[in-house]
Amino acid sequence: MIMKGIVAATLWAGFAALSTAQTFTAPLKRYYDPESVSIPRRALLGKRQTSAASERLYNVDQAFYMIEVQVGTPAQTFHVQLDTGSPSFWLPDIPCTTGCPGGQFNPASSSSFKSLNIPFGIEYAIGSANGTYGTDTVSIAGLTVTDQIFGLVNSTKSTIVIQNGTASVMIGIMGLGYPMYTQVDGPLDINFAFNLANRSIISEPIFSIFLDSQYRLGYSGEITFGGIDTSKYTGSLTYVPVVPFRRGNSDVSMYIFWAAGGLGAKTSNGYAASFTSAVGFVMDTGTTFTYMPAALSQDLVNSVVGSAVTLNTTYGFYDVPCSLASSTATITLLVASSLNDANSPPVELTVGMNELVIPLGSNSVKDSAGCVFGIAPMPGDVGVSSDTFIVGDTFLRSFYTVYDMGQNRIGFAAAKVSTGSPIATSGIPKSSAMPSATPSKESAADSIKPAISAVAIVTMSMLALATIF
């Protein structure tokens, strides 16, 4: 979640074939020493196991996705936000009282828990989480990592919550970004996915994500660790390299985000913008909307609507007619296919209006009180550099994405997005750590709850995109 380095832009709507190697898929519920972040491919592959796994995704009211995770011995079950835009896994600790009204992990009940007695802290654009580091056994979809490092949070501010009646229930975050130090003197925070690869628990050092349409609420998509589910996309996968970043004035570049090299954007109505130098397109499942500079976002929405669109300055989104969802207009992001050859043709990521027009107070544009656009101007107070864009769920839902930890690349293919009537759900599934909950039914205008994904602000402000051509 970058609008944590952003904290996920959260929009409440109350407003088959696997590869030949076995693969693990886990249900998602939608709801700094730089030199150390890149693990050599040889080390990642190591001794191979013939295993991979998949688990479903849970779409919480077109807002964000959750994944089920088991922590400790015996296992305590949590439903946490899955986030490719941040590096760290954290849960609320049992003593958590500030901003942590529910769903705490109890280390005293786990025989495999070990405290590291090292402070944990991560600062988001509009929030923060603080506590201490610990390790324990963590499992997703039958895949288990022992001594997995994570943060036990005892206080949070403006992080992810859901409504359970009149009470707010805080959930944790499962970051799958490149490992990094979350604070100057902290340990290297190697997350679950990179540990699966580094310890050769999965047969390939990859994980793949399918989100499905915004209208498929409840269990809708899946994440696959160690393989690719070819039943979830059409055509073939096209890979683009991950772009490195530099810290401050350093000449050393490092992988920090799952970011592709952005070269431009265009619409099917004739508008086109080419960037004078490459920018970072960060692929971030933890951010609901797609964020970019205000001038570009304004030009794109004006082009597809066909007239000037006014920004709702209260909430930071563009109000658009719901009829735009049935338009044939498209928006395309242009992505560098090579870091070395400026003449290499870009990869085009194209999304239609049916996924970019977001209904308010409903999961259907037909009976919505209003609609907003899925691309928004980057808020000015989130600490993100001008050469970084956040590509959130409004874009990523249209693609099957493969995150290759071994070759530092991202694969894209057109997702087999579900069609037909929207799916209704009765609320978030119950677990041992989080009671069943249903988002509060607010007015359409107030249903927009921006929270922007989870890369620490200090990190973002100190980074610059490395030169790629």
Side-chain angles (χ1 to χ4, degrees), residues 28-293:
L28 288 184
K29 301 180 179 182
R30 180 179 174 188
Y31 196 45
Y32 223 91
D33 189 37
E35 301 94 56
S36 301
V37 302
S38 180
I39 303 172
R41 180 169 171 78
R42 195 180 323 172
L44 281 169
L45 294 177
K47 180 182 68 176
R48 292 205 177 181
Q49 295 189 7
T50 58
S51 57
S54 298
E55 190 152 331
R56 296 172 299 168
L57 309 179
Y58 194 95
N59 173 348
V60 180
D61 284 349
Q62 299 155 302
F64 57 96
Y65 293 86
M66 296 198 301
I67 184 171
E68 183 174 295
V69 56
Q70 288 77 41
V71 183
T73 308
Q76 300 173 46
T77 300
F78 295 84
H79 298 112
V80 299
Q81 184 176 17
L82 184 128
D83 182 16
T84 58
S86 70
S88 299
F89 171 38
W90 60 263
L91 293 170
D93 197 359
I94 196 69
C96 188
T97 56
T98 305
C100 308
Q104 290 101 326
F105 174 72
N106 187 351
S109 298
S110 174
S111 61
S112 49
F113 174 77
K114 300 172 186 174
S115 176
L116 297 182
N117 294 315
I118 298 173
F120 169 85
I122 188 164
E123 183 108 12
Y124 303 133
I126 46 177
S128 60
N130 295 279
T132 60
Y133 276 107
T135 65
D136 211 331
T137 299
V138 175
S139 298
I140 299 175
L143 293 172
T144 298
V145 172
T146 58
D147 297 318
Q148 172 64 54
I149 192 170
F150 67 106
L152 287 90
V153 168
N154 53 39
S155 67
T156 73
K157 181 181 179 181
S158 302
T159 53
I160 304 302
V161 297
I162 57 173
Q163 292 298 124
N164 181 23
T166 58
S168 295
V169 178
M170 195 272 292
I171 61 175
I173 292 169
M174 173 62 74
L176 297 181
Y178 278 88
M180 60 181 289
Y181 291 108
T182 55
Q183 56 184 42
V184 174
D185 297 319
L188 179 61
D189 194 340
I190 301 177
N191 61 50
F192 182 80
F194 277 80
N195 271 328
L196 290 177
N198 200 28
R199 301 184 192 183
S200 300
I201 296 171
I202 50 178
S203 54
E204 292 290 338
I206 62 176
F207 61 91
S208 309
I209 295 177
F210 169 74
L211 298 179
D212 210 348
S213 170
Q214 64 167 313
Y215 301 112
R216 306 296 288 192
L217 305 184
Y219 287 110
S220 58
E222 72 173 27
I223 181 170
T224 300
F225 293 102
I228 296 170
D229 188 343
T230 59
S231 71
K232 296 294 192 243
Y233 63 89
T234 61
S236 58
L237 285 160
T238 299
Y239 287 89
V240 301
V242 175
V243 295
F245 284 74
R246 290 181 292 103
R247 184 176 182 178
N249 295 321
S250 172
D251 291 331
V252 177
S253 60
M254 75 234 38
Y255 296 110
I256 294 294
F257 309 119
W258 288 108
L263 302 179
K266 64 181 182 179
T267 73
S268 57
N269 290 347
Y271 173 80
S274 297
F275 307 147
T276 55
S277 59
V279 302
F281 284 167
V282 179
M283 307 301 159
D284 184 6
T285 61
T287 294
T288 305
F289 285 78
T290 295
Y291 290 88
M292 59 184 63

Side-chain angles (χ1 to χ4, degrees), residues 350-366:
T350 300
V351 175
M353 294 301 104
N354 59 317
E355 290 297 333
L356 286 175
V357 175
I358 314 297
L360 299 177
S362 171
N363 64 342
S364 170
V365 295
K366 294 180 180 180

Side-chain angles (χ1 to χ4, degrees), residues 335-405:
V335 179
S337 58
S338 169
L339 298 186
N340 304 311
D341 184 2
N343 296 317
S344 179
V347 172
E348 297 191 355
L349 303 180
T350 300
V351 175
M353 294 301 104
N354 59 317
E355 290 297 333
L356 286 175
V357 175
I358 314 297
L360 299 177
S362 171
N363 64 342
S364 170
V365 295
K366 294 180 180 180
D367 56 8
S368 174
C371 292
V372 296
F373 203 55
I375 295 175
M378 189 80 76
D381 58 352
V382 300
V384 177
S385 61
S386 61
D387 61 359
T388 302
F389 290 37
I390 308 305
V391 181
D393 297 338
T394 53
F395 245 81
L396 294 177
R397 280 192 288 261
S398 296
F399 302 96
Y400 187 84
T401 50
V402 178
Y403 299 84
D404 190 331
M405 298 171 281

